[in-house]
Amino acid sequence: MNLQEALQFRRAVRHFDAERPLDDNAVKACIELAQLAPTSSNMQLWEAYQVTDKATLSALATACLGQVAATTAQQFVVFVTRPALHRQRAKENLDFLRENVRQTSPQDRWQHRTERYEKYYGKLMPFLYSRCFGLLGMLRKTLAMGIGLFRPIVRQVSEADVRVSIHQSCAFAAQTFMLAMAEQGMDTCPLGGFDSQRVRHILHLPADAEVALVISCGYRTERGVWGDRFRVPFEAIYHKV
């Protein structure tokens, strides 16, 4: 499929075919493609859990409130955010960029570009993503408001703002995964209704992890798609400035 075909094919499928199992490697390949999704400052603070174990599938279906899209799913892919990895991810970005500068930049630009990346990933990112019961967020917000009096600056820097940004980046990855699944003729349903505490317990998630989205996967049945797709008129959402 091309992109338009994949977008038209993708629907929130509510009932999956119990007789058509998914290929584990095909689903895994779609998760790999999800890594190509953009994330804020390329921090990549998300992880995906591919669930194929029958007992775990059953437990997750219960945690997803017994929705048919969950109870008939052949697999789940659970996207979670990992804010506590911010220092590790910043270091990995910095290590990559240092080497990238040496390989792709003129030698007389090495120092300038490396120093810029070291300030960004060595100092700014750790400061922006650090948490301390909201106190660091308040400090960042105060600094942004003061600097914003004199020049444009990003103002969404509180701990709540950063949490939203991490979830946005995770959502980009989840959407990319669903489109990759659609391109391969496989179906998904993003589930927003679930007991997050039970999902955390079932998957033994780390303390900092937050469940962003549970996606049920399989092949649709005839009753899997509930009628035609509804969208508001394009004029209601489109504005040309």
Side-chain angles (χ1 to χ4, degrees):
M1 301 182 191
N2 60 34
L3 177 59
Q4 183 174 356
E5 290 168 339
L7 287 167
Q8 293 290 350
F9 175 83
R10 190 214 62 78
R11 297 292 302 272
V13 172
R14 309 293 180 175
H15 194 280
F16 296 102
D17 190 342
E19 304 301 320
R20 293 189 66 188
L22 292 171
D23 182 277
D24 292 357
N25 290 328
V27 177
K28 181 181 178 181
C30 291
I31 298 174
E32 290 181 10
L33 289 174
Q35 280 198 287
L36 298 178
T39 62
S40 180
S41 294
N42 199 35
M43 289 292 282
Q44 304 173 59
L45 296 173
W46 63 270
E47 293 176 342
Y49 288 73
Q50 181 182 2
V51 181
T52 61
D53 175 73
K54 296 299 183 184
T56 308
L57 287 170
S58 178
L60 280 178
T62 300
C64 290
L65 315 181
Q67 301 175 68
V68 177
T71 59
T72 63
Q74 291 289 311
Q75 295 188 23
F76 286 106
V77 175
V78 182
F79 284 84
V80 303
T81 61
R82 292 298 313 279
L85 296 178
H86 69 273
R87 292 187 182 278
Q88 176 183 331
R89 294 288 186 264
K91 182 180 182 303
E92 289 168 341
N93 269 287
L94 183 54
D95 289 344
F96 170 82
L97 289 167
R98 283 171 174 155
E99 183 61 27
N100 193 53
V101 165
R102 294 188 185 94
Q103 293 183 4
T104 63
S105 299
Q107 189 168 355
D108 62 348
R109 303 295 294 168
W110 283 6
Q111 182 176 353
H112 171 73
R113 292 179 180 177
T114 300
E115 287 177 352
R116 182 179 63 185
Y117 291 134
E118 286 176 346
K119 288 179 181 178
Y120 193 80
Y121 285 107
K123 296 180 180 179
L124 180 59
M125 289 299 100
F127 177 62
L128 178 62
Y129 283 92
S130 293
R131 303 176 65 179
C132 184
F133 307 104
L135 297 178
L136 283 175
M138 292 176 60
L139 173 61
R140 293 193 296 262
K141 199 79 171 179
T142 301
L143 288 172
M145 290 175 62
I147 297 171
L149 295 173
F150 304 98
R151 64 175 178 82
I153 189 173
V154 175
R155 299 170 187 265
Q156 289 71 40
V157 292
S158 72
E159 293 184 17
D161 293 331
V162 173
R163 177 176 177 268
V164 169
S165 176
I166 295 172
H167 276 266
Q168 286 176 336
S169 294
C170 188
F172 296 155
Q175 175 69 357
T176 302
F177 165 73
M178 289 188 287
L179 288 177
M181 290 283 284
E183 194 271 335
Q184 292 296 314
M186 296 181 285
D187 292 300
T188 57
C189 184
L191 303 175
F194 54 82
D195 185 323
S196 59
Q197 290 299 322
R198 282 182 166 81
V199 174
R200 287 173 53 84
H201 176 73
I202 292 166
L203 297 180
H204 307 289
L205 297 179
D208 72 294
E210 292 187 8
V211 182
L213 203 61
V214 178
I215 300 179
S216 55
C217 308
Y219 290 102
R220 69 185 71 180
T221 64
E222 291 184 0
R223 52 181 173 151
V225 177
W226 291 356
D228 294 333
R229 177 187 275 134
F230 166 75
R231 293 292 185 270
V232 299
F234 182 65
E235 292 75 18
I237 58 93
Y238 174 73
H239 305 277
K240 185 176 181 180
V241 179

